[in-house]
Amino acid sequence: MSRVINKSPLLNQATREKVEAVIADLGYVPNPQARALALRRNFLIGLIHDNPNAQMVLGVQEGILDTIRKTEFALVVRPVDRHSPTMFDDIRHFIEQQRLYGVMLLPPISENDELARMCRDLGCTVVRMGSARLDDDAHLVASNDRQAVSEAVAWLAELGHRRIGFVAGPEGFRSARERELGFADGMTRAGLATEPELAARGDYRFESGLAAGAQLLSVDRPPTAIFCSNDEMAAGVLHAARARQIDVPDDLSIVGFDDTATAAHIWPPLTTVRWPIAAMAQAAASKLIDPANAASQPSFFLSDLVRRASTVPPRE
Amino acid sequence: MSRVINKSPLLNQATREKVEAVIADLGYVPNPQARALALRRNFLIGLIHDNPNAQMVLGVQEGILDTIRKTEFALVVRPVDRHSPTMFDDIRHFIEQQRLYGVMLLPPISENDELARMCRDLGCTVVRMGSARLDDDAHLVASNDRQAVSEAVAWLAELGHRRIGFVAGPEGFRSARERELGFADGMTRAGLATEPELAARGDYRFESGLAAGAQLLSVDRPPTAIFCSNDEMAAGVLHAARARQIDVPDDLSIVGFDDTATAAHIWPPLTTVRWPIAAMAQAAASKLIDPANAASQPSFFLSDLVRRASTVPPRE
DNA sequence: TTGTAAGCGTTATCAA
DNA sequence: TTGATAACGCTTACAA
């Protein structure tokens, strides 16, 4: 019977149909625990992440679930701490213990090649989510951050901005790097020079945005627009502007990245870049549960610019 | 040997120690799949939720993980749609299929007694998270929303507010009801009368806060402070005030509930009530994995008021 | 092509 | 108190 369920190629049509009829008749459902024992691998897919942001993690969970809902797979999650010295061992133990079928890695830990290799060596398929080509198509879903940022800058230039500030993400993060490259692309394409005094670096957190904003807004000729590498820092820049009585958006346009809940709820609502998280997670889950067809699932996803009230033409 | 691992009471000390030595020596780790098969129950605890808010779900996941990290348990999540007619069947199938050890139910679906009963009938321990005494101590972790709101109102009264508006949550939600009761308590205790024209109802979403704010601020003598049953609606009220050129906090103080990321990032930063989510989730997980001692874990948790810039004394 | 039986790694039952 | 052995429900190698 297991031959029917597992679609073994060597059995004839008649028997198969007969067995299938009986299966349907009895309402038989295979027991995943028994299969797991026999196959030495569980029908579980693991989501390993270091909480890049709550909305994203939850969006990914929902996307994965959409894909596995009608299957026998279940989703098991594992938040980890990338600063913990035991992270590798924790993850190894987790995968071995649960005999995971596959794991999905979220940024920023998805950028760690060594981690991905370890998971693979443990005999478990890996799909990484990221903002650049971190891996081959079968093991990757990525957003094209570079292009998205470049387009956001183009939009600011189109509005008439000439002095555009940039708040980078933390060094060592691939997403931060891609966004930097995208910013440079956009400026070049718009024929604008990037000035060092209009660039600051943050760590993707609110407070660092506050500091970066204070820095960029205190130069002699402050920017009329600032692109921030994520929404949280954009909120920080907004607060920094407010503290200096600089009106947003009239005196300063701000663009963020991620389209978190915050982006829509702050004032003014933030123009930002939105990842198609659900679609990415669905594709990733498909790759995980069906590695044979993994490469045929889409790997690259275009983010789009959500235009809100935080961006207007510069004041004359 | 399983007698050693499972701490069977009927075996003598000497043998136990001998076996334990060998176990340690071999670095033996039991195989969860085999145990699951033999015991007909998996070492998985399920988190079933209808996404009350991303931050909260993720906080719960982290709390649960803190508790189960050193155990053989794993956390499997199941987002569901409470409006789907198949929700019950989905959940039943999920529990039966995965042979869950226990499930944790998050609000608002945790308020559904029938659902809790079904899970229990499936032979799986249930712990419900809520904002009131939904169940007995062994199967409940709850925040005391009623008291927390009452204290928030007391704080507004202390600042000198007399006309305090209220934005309720959706009917049928226990949390909404508790917060309403807490508001009434607080007003009574402060010797203030609740006026019908200063109350509006929302559905916990931003847009409904916008509408509620518009409504409350257009009455003849508008309130000088508004308590909102969650942060998202508070953000809506804030936008409504802004649209009417009403300055927050000088002309209007606002209080929210939940302490979401938004609360800290909007301007002005929102005074709000914070649930001790992590502690609650840890206690809940303890109850789940050790039902025998469930009742000895704390069940009630006090939320605290996070005082931020959105609340100031009323203008004279 | 199909039936049969031997694992998979535990727990639980039954004698010893 | 302990040791041996039959489940648990599936997959798979081997025979038929």
Side-chain angles (χ1 to χ4, degrees):
Chain A
M1 184 189 63
S2 78
R3 286 195 258 260
V4 173
I5 292 181
N6 298 306
K7 308 185 213 304
S8 160
L10 25 69
L11 83 175
N12 77 32
Q13 198 55 29
T15 11
R16 159 165 295 154
E17 279 168 8
K18 202 155 38 168
V19 177
E20 276 170 349
V22 176
I23 287 180
D25 206 43
L26 263 48
Y28 167 84
V29 192
N31 174 322
Q33 284 74 46
R35 302 191 74 189
L37 183 59
L39 289 169
R40 285 177 227 51
R41 111 185 311 213
N42 225 326
F43 288 90
L44 292 177
I45 86 126
L47 173 63
I48 302 181
H49 68 87
D50 182 29
N51 190 8
N53 91 48
Q55 204 67 42
M56 170 167 167
V57 175
L58 228 62
V60 168
Q61 290 182 7
E62 271 162 18
I64 294 177
L65 196 83
D66 275 349
T67 299
I68 66 176
R69 173 162 275 139
K70 294 294 170 204
T71 74
E72 67 212 309
F73 285 91
L75 169 63
V76 16
V77 301
R78 190 74 174 191
V80 299
D81 173 5
R82 78 170 166 278
H83 301 298
S84 159
T86 63
M87 183 184 81
F88 265 69
D89 290 336
D90 288 348
I91 295 178
R92 182 208 307 284
H93 181 248
F94 173 58
I95 294 177
E96 283 177 339
Q97 178 85 1
Q98 298 300 327
R99 296 272 168 86
L100 295 185
Y101 192 95
V103 297
M104 174 155 176
L105 266 23
L106 256 41
I109 56 169
S110 62
E111 294 164 11
N112 189 323
D113 291 327
E114 207 186 324
L115 177 61
R117 186 161 352 96
M118 183 192 79
C119 297
R120 225 159 262 156
D121 290 346
L122 259 27
C124 139
T125 58
V126 174
V127 168
R128 301 158 77 177
M129 185 158 174
S131 16
R133 177 167 292 292
L134 297 163
D135 212 316
D136 54 287
D137 278 2
H139 306 103
L140 170 76
V141 289
S143 62
N144 196 335
D145 283 17
R146 182 167 180 173
Q147 182 178 343
V149 173
S150 153
E151 282 168 14
V153 173
W155 163 243
L156 289 173
E158 200 176 305
L159 286 173
H161 292 277
R162 290 291 164 266
R163 293 184 67 74
I164 304 178
F166 179 69
V167 180
E171 268 171 310
F173 278 52
R174 187 63 187 265
S175 59
R177 181 77 192 124
E178 290 295 314
R179 292 168 201 185
E180 256 177 281
L181 291 171
F183 182 77
D185 288 353
M187 293 296 275
T188 307
R189 210 164 297 161
L192 301 175
T194 59
E195 296 176 39
E197 61 167 10
L198 294 187
R201 185 174 295 283
D203 63 5
Y204 279 159
R205 280 185 288 220
F206 180 81
E207 287 72 21
S208 71
L210 207 54
Q215 177 189 330
L216 296 183
L217 295 172
S218 64
V219 303
D220 278 348
R221 290 179 51 221
T224 61
I226 298 181
F227 175 89
C228 305
S229 294
N230 79 351
D231 288 345
E232 240 184 274
M233 295 195 297
V237 168
L238 182 61
H239 282 221
R242 189 101 51 189
R244 295 178 125 67
Q245 323 286 342
I246 295 174
D247 187 82
V248 177
D250 289 342
D251 295 326
L252 177 70
S253 286
I254 299 181
V255 180
F257 198 111
D258 282 344
D259 194 29
T260 59
T262 301
H265 296 163
I266 58 178
W267 184 270
L270 196 65
T271 294
T272 185
V273 177
R274 179 186 357 208
W275 294 38
I277 301 262
M280 291 174 74
Q282 284 168 28
S286 299
K287 289 175 193 232
L288 281 175
I289 66 181
D290 185 12
N293 299 317
S296 68
Q297 286 284 330
S299 296
F300 267 88
F301 294 80
L302 274 188
S303 305
D304 47 56
L305 187 67
V306 184
R307 294 174 177 82
R308 298 211 183 90
S310 71
T311 43
V312 298
R315 188 170 272 181
E316 277 323 303
Chain B
M1 184 189 65
S2 80
R3 285 194 259 259
V4 173
I5 292 181
N6 298 304
K7 310 187 210 303
S8 161
L10 23 72
L11 83 175
N12 76 34
Q13 199 55 29
T15 3
R16 158 164 295 151
E17 279 168 9
K18 201 159 32 170
V19 176
E20 274 170 351
V22 175
I23 288 180
D25 205 45
L26 262 49
Y28 166 84
V29 191
N31 173 321
Q33 284 75 44
R35 303 188 76 190
L37 183 58
L39 290 169
R40 285 185 252 357
R41 116 184 307 212
N42 224 327
F43 288 90
L44 293 177
I45 86 126
L47 173 63
I48 302 181
H49 68 87
D50 182 28
N51 190 7
N53 94 45
Q55 204 67 41
M56 168 167 169
V57 175
L58 229 64
V60 168
Q61 290 181 8
E62 270 161 20
I64 294 177
L65 196 83
D66 276 349
T67 299
I68 66 176
R69 174 163 274 136
K70 293 295 170 206
T71 73
E72 68 212 310
F73 285 90
L75 170 63
V76 19
V77 301
R78 190 72 173 193
V80 298
D81 173 5
R82 79 170 164 278
H83 300 299
S84 159
T86 63
M87 183 184 82
F88 264 70
D89 290 336
D90 287 348
I91 294 178
R92 182 207 308 283
H93 182 249
F94 172 57
I95 294 177
E96 283 178 340
Q97 178 85 1
Q98 298 300 328
R99 294 273 168 87
L100 295 186
Y101 192 94
V103 297
M104 174 155 173
L105 265 24
L106 257 41
I109 57 168
S110 61
E111 295 164 13
N112 189 324
D113 292 326
E114 206 186 325
L115 178 61
R117 186 160 352 98
M118 184 191 80
C119 298
R120 227 158 262 158
D121 290 346
L122 258 28
C124 139
T125 58
V126 174
V127 168
R128 302 156 77 176
M129 185 158 174
S131 16
R133 178 168 289 294
L134 297 164
D135 213 315
D136 53 287
D137 279 2
H139 307 102
L140 171 75
V141 289
S143 62
N144 196 337
D145 284 16
R146 183 169 178 170
Q147 182 179 343
V149 174
S150 154
E151 281 168 13
V153 174
W155 164 244
L156 288 173
E158 199 177 304
L159 286 174
H161 292 279
R162 289 291 164 267
R163 292 184 67 73
I164 304 178
F166 180 69
V167 180
E171 270 172 306
F173 278 52
R174 187 63 186 263
S175 60
R177 180 77 192 126
E178 291 295 314
R179 292 167 201 186
E180 256 177 279
L181 290 171
F183 182 77
D185 288 352
M187 293 296 274
T188 307
R189 210 164 298 161
L192 301 174
T194 60
E195 295 177 39
E197 61 168 11
L198 295 187
R201 185 174 294 284
D203 62 6
Y204 278 158
R205 278 182 290 220
F206 179 80
E207 287 72 22
S208 71
L210 207 54
Q215 178 189 330
L216 297 183
L217 295 172
S218 63
V219 302
D220 278 349
R221 291 178 51 219
T224 61
I226 297 181
F227 175 89
C228 305
S229 294
N230 79 348
D231 287 346
E232 242 184 272
M233 296 196 298
V237 168
L238 182 62
H239 281 221
R242 190 101 54 190
R244 294 180 127 69
Q245 325 284 345
I246 295 173
D247 187 81
V248 177
D250 289 342
D251 295 325
L252 177 71
S253 287
I254 298 182
V255 179
F257 198 111
D258 282 344
D259 195 28
T260 58
T262 301
H265 298 162
I266 59 177
W267 183 271
L270 196 65
T271 294
T272 186
V273 177
R274 181 194 337 207
W275 296 38
I277 302 259
M280 290 174 75
Q282 284 169 26
S286 299
K287 289 174 193 233
L288 280 175
I289 66 181
D290 184 12
N293 299 317
S296 68
Q297 285 285 329
S299 297
F300 267 88
F301 295 79
L302 274 190
S303 304
D304 46 56
L305 187 67
V306 184
R307 294 176 177 81
R308 297 209 184 90
S310 71
T311 42
V312 297
R315 188 170 273 180
E316 278 322 303

